[in-house]
Amino acid sequence: MTVRVLIADDQDLVRTGLRMILDAQPGVEVVAEAADGAQAVTLARESRPDVCLLDIRMPVMDGLQATRLLAGPDVSEPLPVVVITTFDLDEYVYAALRAGARGFLLKDAGPALLAEAVHAAARGDALIDPAVTVRLIAAFAGTERPSAPPSRPLTEREEAVVALVAQGLGNTEIGAGLHISLSTVKTHLASAMTKLGARNRVELAIWAYEQGIGTRR
């Protein structure tokens, strides 16, 4: 199955580079390009791509607003959004995840990680660049009031799994770090998502940050 991707970035050179990288990946096809957020929203609603790859800082409408309109909690048929940025403004990262972004990458993440993020978003999972996750938690630790504890608290092992998700680790790495099987990792993740009402790994990472457990091992 081919993953259809929309790219939105205000720099022609960046869009060209992203298109070349993605078109060279098996099972990925760039179907639309936009130079600003407003155009991205229009094209996305028309073409319904499998994944929207959005820059944050764009003219007319920035990537944050575009993400809210395409993937926010009030959108009846949300589209998967992966935000890609130079990460020059830390606060934008947290805002983008809150707006509904399913993944977050730095522009220097490399072709392999970019392709992995696109495929993850297309299948309903999420991928956060480990460097982004670490900087996100470091930038915002202690700057906002933690959210209320969940009505069904996580078990110690579930919390440990979620803390590693917040560090950007994949399921295989989490299993190796905690010495548990891959199926057990998935079971703990599913349980944590249900208890917290989280839609994906991004929201689990945000919860971990808010609870101050994102840097625990």
Side-chain angles (χ1 to χ4, degrees):
M1 179 179 176
T2 299
V3 179
R4 301 167 63 252
V5 181
L6 175 147
I7 297 172
D9 194 291
D10 61 329
Q11 297 183 43
D12 293 342
L13 187 60
V14 172
R15 290 200 310 276
T16 299
L18 291 173
R19 173 183 278 277
M20 291 177 63
I21 291 172
L22 291 175
D23 280 343
Q25 303 298 320
V28 178
E29 178 188 6
V30 176
V31 296
E33 292 185 28
D36 60 66
Q39 185 182 26
V41 171
T42 298
L43 290 175
R45 287 172 173 171
E46 291 176 351
S47 60
R48 303 296 299 179
D50 298 308
V51 177
C52 300
L53 190 63
L54 307 181
D55 184 25
I56 283 186
R57 303 183 72 180
M58 294 186 288
V60 185
M61 178 189 295
D62 65 23
L64 295 178
Q65 181 61 18
T67 298
R68 292 188 193 98
L69 293 175
L70 295 174
D74 298 327
V75 179
S76 59
E77 296 182 11
L79 290 169
V81 172
V82 174
V83 174
I84 183 166
T85 179
T86 54
F87 198 79
D88 54 339
L89 291 175
D90 291 350
E91 62 268 25
Y92 277 11
V93 183
Y94 186 72
L97 299 181
R98 276 300 192 197
R102 187 170 286 178
F104 209 106
L105 295 177
L106 300 181
K107 286 186 177 178
D108 62 358
L113 194 57
L114 177 61
E116 185 180 352
V118 166
H119 282 293
R123 65 175 178 261
D125 204 347
L127 186 148
I128 314 173
D129 191 316
V132 170
T133 307
V134 172
R135 284 192 59 174
L136 172 65
I137 293 172
F140 287 93
T143 63
E144 292 190 14
R145 182 179 301 173
S147 59
S151 57
R152 297 172 60 191
L154 302 186
T155 65
E156 182 177 350
R157 183 47 60 94
E158 288 168 352
E159 184 174 301
V161 169
V162 172
L164 294 181
V165 167
Q167 293 177 24
L169 273 64
N171 289 355
T172 301
E173 295 171 307
I174 292 173
L178 297 177
H179 306 291
I180 56 179
S181 69
L182 185 60
S183 61
T184 300
V185 172
K186 293 179 179 179
T187 297
H188 286 317
L189 283 175
S191 177
M193 286 184 184
T194 298
K195 290 180 179 181
L196 300 175
R199 296 173 297 176
N200 50 51
R201 299 168 76 95
V202 175
E203 293 186 354
L204 286 180
I206 292 174
W207 180 86
Y209 146 68
E210 290 180 335
Q211 298 300 318
I213 67 171
T215 58
R216 293 184 192 169
R217 284 278 183 179

